[in-house]
Amino acid sequence: MTEADFSKASPPIYQAVDQFYDFLLQSKDIFHFVTMALKWIATCLNREGGAIYMINPSLGLSTNWIKFNIPNIWNLQFDGTNSQLVKDAINVYATQIPMGENPRLQVAAILPMTSHGRTLGVIILSGKGLDQSELNFATILTYTLTRSLISQVHVSTFWREEREKAILQMIRLSMNDSVKDPDRTLFNLVKGIRQYFNAEFILFLLKDQEIPDLIIKKLLDVNDEWVYQSSQHICPDLLKQATEFQQAQDVRYLSNDNEALQEIINYPIMSLRAVICSPICAKNGQFLGSMILINPNNPIGLNGKEILLQYASLLADVMENLNYLQSMKIALAQLETKRIEITNSRDTLRELFDNIPISIYIIDNSYTILAINDACAARTSQTPNLLVGKTCYEAIAGRNSPCPACRVGETLTQGKNTIRFWREWTTSETHIEWEISTHPIFNEMHIPLHAIIQEVDITEKRDLEANLIQSEKLATVGQLAAGIAHEINNPLSAIIANAQILLQECTNDSADKIESLKLIETAGIRASHVVRNLLGISHKDDLNFEPTDINKTIQNALMLIHHELHTQPITVEMNFCDSMPLVLAQQDHLQGVWINLIINAIDAVVSTNRQDGIIQIKTHFTGTEYQIIIADNGKGIEPDKIQKLFEPFYTTKAAGHGTGLGLSVCLRTIKEHEGNITVESQPGQGTCFKITIPYRKIEMTTLNDVLD
């Protein structure tokens, strides 16, 4: 292909080749240049790939073969010079004549790269063979590549020193990476210096920044490996004598017989032929050490000295970065230790803050929540992170403005602790009692910036206090009732005794008089039974279980509340099981249970203002347990209140009409008898209490003792 042939190419081909030539001129690296050219040619000819076989070694390539997307069969052909592909390539190289298609090796064509009778190599394309037009176009591209490659070699030689300076500038610009890995950067710089100056060894004599008379020695050999590293205590003057510096930017040849240098190096296998020394100085002029090139193969000249000083300046920057990095590592280690301590303290405080069952949150002077614990957030059914940033009165109290009795303002303006109580009604009958305290958080000027609010649920505490007061009142009433019963019992005994005496003396009197005396005696005995039963209920004694007739205890209970039953429009329907065996129980305590349940039934019926009130009392024995049922047709109980009936001091009665202790005492008494109480009720349909007590066979000795 000649210049004339090139000029005869059609305009589309000429334009494509012109673009190809411009593209080639943009590359400064020979290998990259040839590789990109091969890709361009294969793409223009619509072939899968190819290879270039470079035989002329003057181009500076590290390999003879340059490949792009080659067939698998070619990889076997590249090994050795006896393969058919290599033979064909050498044949084309020798004859400078293109070779056609070889289907067995998937070769489309082999084109010689010639210019002015000089062959640099051959281009091998893969795929189907080239037709004549494609072959002409490929020949033009090959000629263009060859001409550009020759020009590129000339350009690379001409601009060698300028490119080296550009490389140094690029290295300087890349020094920012030395902060990330200064050790690696230092090694790369030293390696580049040794290769650039073709020196046998490079020795560094570095002053220790903390110990002035300590010299750190590092030696890099021809294989770019650190083969000698040590530290040596020497006199500072010895280093000055060895390097013989007169000024900071002095680069000089040192004498081979420098005794001070020989003493410092002390490396037996090294023979000094030529020694070039450059100082390493920090930007502030501080002397850090010396860089010594040992046995360079070529003179360095003025340009080499300038480059050596630039390298020394870069090394000084890297060394400063190393020192800075070392101090930073120490500082970072200390900071990391502090961070771990702070993190552990924070986590501990956070766990403590979140797991305290008391509601706690922190607000600023605009009532905005800064922090809130889980216990407080749970009241709003939200997570703490959703509440932070909202105002406390909006997020917690559900208000549009601060709570009326809020005392946070006093804490934030006056810096004092406050405490108040607040009752939150959950329903019309239940509430939560809160004890709310505030505490200021001061800044370094002792000015309150934030406030800690602590809200404690004291409902149970208040209930316990009220229960204690009520228990004390009931104990007092019990003592008073016992005293009154004793006072009544004495005159009743006199009335009964005198009535019986009169009956004995008036046997011949009128029937009406005798009947009146009998009525007095009967009424006195009845009143005596009531007093005795009252004393039995209020008497504090141990649970003495004895054989007891359940039906009789119910009848005694009805006798005690006879007045309440007859003053109300209530009918008592009794259905007792006559064949029930005796139960081992505490008679007075069981009697108290029946009284409490019957009185509750009376109150339930009376509260409905019914004129047909009915209370049903049934007893039944199944063979394994006793069943007692007390039912009424009163107002009934709401379902949500049934589960609370047996809680101490809980009552459904109006204020002043009940203490709420009755059913809890009843349940405890039945549990002491190993029994149970169940409730069935519907509002407006009455209530039914069912008591079950297990049957236990009574030993005959115990029964005989009772009968005796």
Side-chain angles (χ1 to χ4, degrees), residues 446-466:
H446 202 69
I447 298 174
L449 292 182
H450 306 138
I452 302 175
I453 293 87
Q454 177 179 299
E455 299 180 351
V456 183
D457 183 358
I458 60 171
T459 307
E460 185 176 357
K461 177 182 176 182
R462 289 285 190 255
D463 290 342
L464 290 175
E465 291 174 352

Side-chain angles (χ1 to χ4, degrees), residues 453-524:
I453 293 87
Q454 177 179 299
E455 299 180 351
V456 183
D457 183 358
I458 60 171
T459 307
E460 185 176 357
K461 177 182 176 182
R462 289 285 190 255
D463 290 342
L464 290 175
E465 291 174 352
N467 294 346
L468 180 59
I469 295 172
Q470 189 69 13
S471 298
E472 292 176 351
K473 290 180 179 179
L474 291 175
T476 302
V477 171
Q479 293 175 357
L480 180 60
I484 294 174
H486 280 293
E487 292 297 328
I488 295 175
N489 197 41
N490 291 331
L492 283 177
S493 298
I495 292 173
I496 295 171
N498 287 297
Q500 291 174 349
I501 292 173
L502 289 175
L503 281 173
Q504 292 176 0
E505 293 178 353
C506 300
T507 54
N508 298 323
D509 290 348
S510 62
D512 293 338
K513 185 177 181 179
I514 294 173
E515 182 65 25
S516 297
L517 290 174
K518 288 182 178 181
L519 287 175
I520 293 173
E521 180 187 19
T522 303

Side-chain angles (χ1 to χ4, degrees), residues 625-653:
E625 65 180 13
Y626 304 90
Q627 296 180 354
I628 301 93
I629 297 175
I630 300 177
D632 63 72
N633 61 347
K635 65 177 181 179
I637 305 172
E638 297 177 2
D640 59 330
K641 296 180 179 180
I642 291 179
Q643 58 183 355
K644 300 180 181 180
L645 285 180
F646 297 101
E647 295 180 3
F649 299 100
Y650 178 80
T651 180
T652 60
K653 299 178 182 179

Side-chain angles (χ1 to χ4, degrees), residues 51-88:
I52 294 180
Y53 184 61
M54 304 297 296
I55 302 177
N56 194 323
S58 63
L59 298 177
L61 294 172
S62 60
T63 177
N64 289 339
W65 286 101
I66 298 175
K67 312 165 189 176
F68 165 66
N69 197 26
I70 61 174
N72 292 332
I73 193 174
W74 286 20
N75 289 319
L76 301 176
Q77 298 291 318
F78 291 144
D79 296 331
T81 59
N82 294 324
S83 67
Q84 185 62 43
L85 187 61
V86 174
K87 290 179 179 179
D88 292 344

Side-chain angles (χ1 to χ4, degrees), residues 564-565 568-572 601-603 605-606 611-615:
E564 286 79 1
L565 289 171
Q568 301 294 340
I570 297 175
T571 301
V572 178
I602 293 173
D603 292 339
V605 172
V606 171
Q611 299 300 316
D612 57 346
I614 298 175
I615 297 177

